[in-house]
């Protein structure tokens, strides 16, 4: 279903990524405290291999380039978030500082220190997640289970700003935040509520009403989550996906479907992909073993449609779908960009399979000939695997790389 078209090496382990809402820009936060933005090639409307090759030769969009890179934090950059219009980028570091910078140049326009948590006797805290809920609201989740709400209308630069509200929807650090769709009665097109996972519970919080729902202990640590329409999804440390249907009322009912994706492997991150058909949503799930599972959420069953490997050793820590439809996974010191297989890709694989079957039926070659052929095949990668590895970084630079079909 997906082919890796590019592998992007990083000088330090990746901790966070953010995908620009409108442009082919990817922000990366590293364990060294660096933040950088890379520009991906803009795909033409016709995204066939032929049109991509033509775009490469005519407009120079065949390479990924770093637009800017800086040591933004004194310790690791743990979270990143673009504003909804993409003009600014928020970053949160393990140094206890949140900064906002212009997307185009990376120039810092404001910063705040993470407040000590009064509800926890003034214990110092570290930022864990950032989420821009609306043009007016920034959410900041911390290791000590706090969610600080900042009003960007007071000062869009957040210089020295203090949170308007603070909530504790969980007892431990918050692992995911997902904005819920605005209600039908909403006078704006922006959400006021969000779904979160943390420790072994799920919760829903409202900007105005505070905590709307806090779930019971589910008996395992929840590491990832998302919300799609009236569905809430959470991934656990033991390899199972849980799904609640029926919106907040269904969540309050406590009945969830639980399906093992890969037993014993943590489901560390997930993101929404697309809708196959009404009631058939598809998500991507990044696992601790370095694999990414493409999972279909059906009305009756939860099915794994495909599995790809980001890394043989490092787990997947970031995952997202960019506006051009390419999936981006990150973990360890690499970022991979994946492209959904086209009809031509599937036809090529079918031709390879047919050729293999024809070779198996051909009994005219000698035993020595078959032995020589087998030895040659063992010395070189199989055709399909060679195709998946195509498009890795060429040359000696870490800041420019070539895409498949865009040389």
């Amino acid at each position: 279903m997906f082919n890796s078209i590019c592998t992007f090496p990083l000088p330090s382990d990746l901790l966070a990524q953010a995908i620009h809402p409108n442009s082919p820009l990817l922000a990366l936060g590293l364990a060294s405290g660096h933040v950088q933005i890379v520009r991906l090639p803009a795909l033409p409307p016709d995204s066939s291999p032929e049109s991509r090759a033509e775009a490469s030769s005519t407009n120079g969009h065949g390479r990924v380039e770093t637009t800017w890179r800086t040591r933004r934090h004194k310790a690791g950059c743990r979270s990143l978030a673009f504003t909804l219009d993409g003009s600014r980028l928020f970053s949160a570091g393990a140094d206890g500082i949140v900064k906002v910078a212009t997307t185009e140049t990376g120039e810092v326009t404001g910063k705040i220190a993470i407040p000590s948590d009064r509800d926890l006797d003034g214990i110092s805290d570290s930022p864990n997640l950032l989420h821009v809920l609306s043009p007016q609201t920034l959410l900041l989740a911390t290791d000590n289970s706090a969610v600080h709400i900042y009003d960007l209308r007071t000062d869009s630069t957040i210089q020295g700003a203090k949170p308007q509200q603070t909530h504790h929807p969980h007892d431990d650090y918050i692992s995911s935040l997902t904005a819920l769709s605005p209600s039908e009665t909403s006078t704006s097109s922006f959400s006021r509520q969000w779904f979160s996972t943390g420790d072994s519970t799920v919760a829903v919080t409202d900007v105005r009403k505070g905590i709307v729902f806090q779930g019971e202990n589910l008996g395992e640590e929840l590491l990832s989550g998302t919300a799609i329409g009236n569905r809430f999804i959470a991934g656990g440390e033991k390899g199972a996906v849980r799904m609640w249907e029926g919106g907040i009322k269904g969540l309050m009912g406590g009945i969830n479907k639980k399906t093992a994706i890969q037993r014993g492997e943590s489901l560390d991150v997930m993101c929404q992909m697309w809708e196959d058909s009404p009631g058939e949503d598809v998500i991507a799930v990044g696992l601790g073993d370095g694999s990414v599972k493409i999972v279909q959420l059906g009305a009756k069953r939860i099915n794994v449609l495909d599995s790809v490997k980001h890394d043989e050793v490092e787990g997947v820590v970031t995952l997202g779908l960019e506006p051009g439809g390419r999936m981006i996974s990150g973990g360890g010191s690499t970022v991979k960009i994946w492209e959904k297989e086209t009809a031509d890709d599937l036809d090529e694989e079918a031709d390879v399979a047919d050729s293999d079957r024809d070779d198996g039926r051909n009994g005219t070659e000698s035993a020595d000939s078959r032995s020589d052929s087998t030895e040659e095949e063992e010395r070189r990668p199989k055709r399909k695997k060679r195709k998946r590895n195509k498009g890795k970084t060429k040359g000696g630079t870490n800041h420019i790389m070539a895409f498949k079909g865009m040389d």
Side-chain angles (χ1 to χ4, degrees):
M1 182 174 288
F2 277 91
N3 289 326
S4 174
I5 59 174
C6 179
T7 298
F8 184 5
L10 300 171
S12 178
D13 281 352
L14 180 70
L15 298 183
Q17 76 176 27
I19 298 172
H20 195 279
N22 307 312
S23 303
L25 296 175
L26 175 65
L28 303 170
L30 307 183
S32 61
H34 286 83
V35 174
Q36 66 187 78
I37 286 186
V38 298
R39 178 175 292 275
L40 309 178
L43 293 178
D46 174 15
S47 59
S48 65
E50 293 79 8
S51 64
R52 290 196 299 271
E54 183 179 356
S56 173
S57 61
T58 57
N59 59 24
H61 286 174
R63 295 185 179 277
V64 172
E65 297 184 358
T66 299
T67 60
W68 56 261
R69 181 174 184 268
T70 184
R71 179 89 186 278
R72 180 64 19 104
H73 297 278
K74 295 180 180 179
C77 177
R78 304 184 69 185
S79 186
L80 294 165
F82 283 106
T83 54
L84 296 188
D85 64 1
S87 63
R88 291 172 294 150
L89 175 68
F90 291 95
S91 65
D95 54 4
I97 301 294
V98 174
K99 296 182 179 181
V100 59
T102 59
T103 299
E104 184 176 0
T105 66
E107 180 183 0
V108 174
T109 60
K111 61 182 178 179
I112 57 173
I114 307 302
S116 297
D117 199 327
R118 296 178 182 177
D119 293 340
L120 295 174
D121 298 324
I123 296 175
S124 60
D125 210 349
S126 295
N128 187 36
L129 288 172
L130 288 168
H131 188 88
V132 178
L133 192 65
S134 71
Q136 296 82 30
T137 307
L138 171 69
L139 305 179
L140 168 62
T142 72
D143 282 350
N144 288 338
S145 78
V147 178
H148 301 295
I149 304 174
Y150 290 88
D151 189 345
L152 300 180
R153 293 173 297 182
T154 303
D155 185 357
S156 61
T157 67
I158 69 168
Q159 183 68 36
K162 295 182 179 181
Q164 299 293 312
Q165 301 177 56
T166 297
H167 301 291
H168 289 272
H170 305 278
D171 293 332
D172 204 342
Y173 84 101
I174 296 168
S175 56
S176 72
L177 288 173
T178 306
L180 303 185
S181 301
S183 65
E184 297 179 357
T185 59
S186 174
T187 56
S188 71
S189 58
F190 305 111
S191 177
R192 295 198 323 240
Q193 297 180 326
W194 63 91
F195 170 71
S196 61
T197 59
D199 58 89
S200 58
T201 61
V202 297
V204 175
T205 310
D206 188 285
V207 169
R208 298 178 182 175
K209 301 177 182 178
I211 300 172
V212 176
F213 171 76
Q214 284 180 306
E216 297 180 353
N217 190 316
L218 295 174
E220 68 170 321
E221 188 176 3
L222 301 181
L223 304 175
S224 58
T226 190
I228 308 173
N230 67 349
R231 288 174 165 172
F232 299 96
I233 306 100
E237 62 177 334
K238 299 177 182 178
V241 164
R242 297 172 184 265
M243 182 174 70
W244 295 260
E245 297 191 85
I248 295 178
K249 290 184 178 179
L251 195 63
M252 292 178 174
I255 300 175
N256 64 83
K257 297 177 183 177
K258 182 179 178 182
T259 300
I261 300 302
Q262 188 164 326
R263 295 186 186 278
E265 288 295 341
S266 58
L267 309 185
D268 294 337
V269 61
M270 64 175 59
C271 70
Q272 181 180 358
M273 298 296 282
W274 62 82
E275 184 180 50
D276 269 354
S277 60
E280 301 286 340
D281 299 302
V282 176
I283 62 172
V285 183
L287 280 69
D289 68 350
S291 63
V292 178
K293 306 290 186 182
I294 309 301
V295 179
Q296 182 185 56
L297 307 175
K300 296 182 179 180
R301 297 182 60 186
I302 298 175
N303 301 312
V304 177
L305 301 179
D306 192 21
S307 179
V308 296
K309 200 73 171 178
H310 171 83
D311 193 270
E312 295 295 336
V313 177
E314 301 289 347
V316 180
V317 298
T318 64
L319 200 57
L321 191 69
E322 58 94 36
R326 293 167 290 196
M327 181 175 71
I328 302 175
S329 63
S333 58
T334 59
V335 171
K336 280 192 175 181
I337 303 176
W338 306 82
E339 186 177 64
K340 195 174 182 182
E341 287 180 327
T342 65
D344 290 340
D345 293 332
L346 297 175
D347 289 343
E348 180 182 343
E349 292 176 8
D351 290 343
V352 172
D354 290 342
S355 176
D356 290 343
R357 284 195 293 270
D358 291 341
D359 290 343
R361 289 193 295 267
N362 186 355
T364 60
E365 59 182 348
S366 66
D368 290 342
S369 174
R370 287 194 299 271
S371 177
D372 292 343
S373 175
T374 300
E375 291 177 359
E376 182 180 356
E377 288 297 322
E378 290 176 348
R379 287 195 299 267
R380 67 185 182 187
K382 293 185 182 299
R383 184 175 181 182
K384 182 175 179 182
K385 186 172 183 180
R386 188 167 65 247
K387 178 185 172 188
R388 285 184 178 271
N389 290 336
K390 192 175 180 182
K392 288 192 174 183
T393 305
K394 299 182 179 181
T397 176
N398 285 342
H399 300 291
I400 299 178
M401 49 194 168
F403 268 57
K404 180 185 73 175
M406 289 186 168
D407 297 340

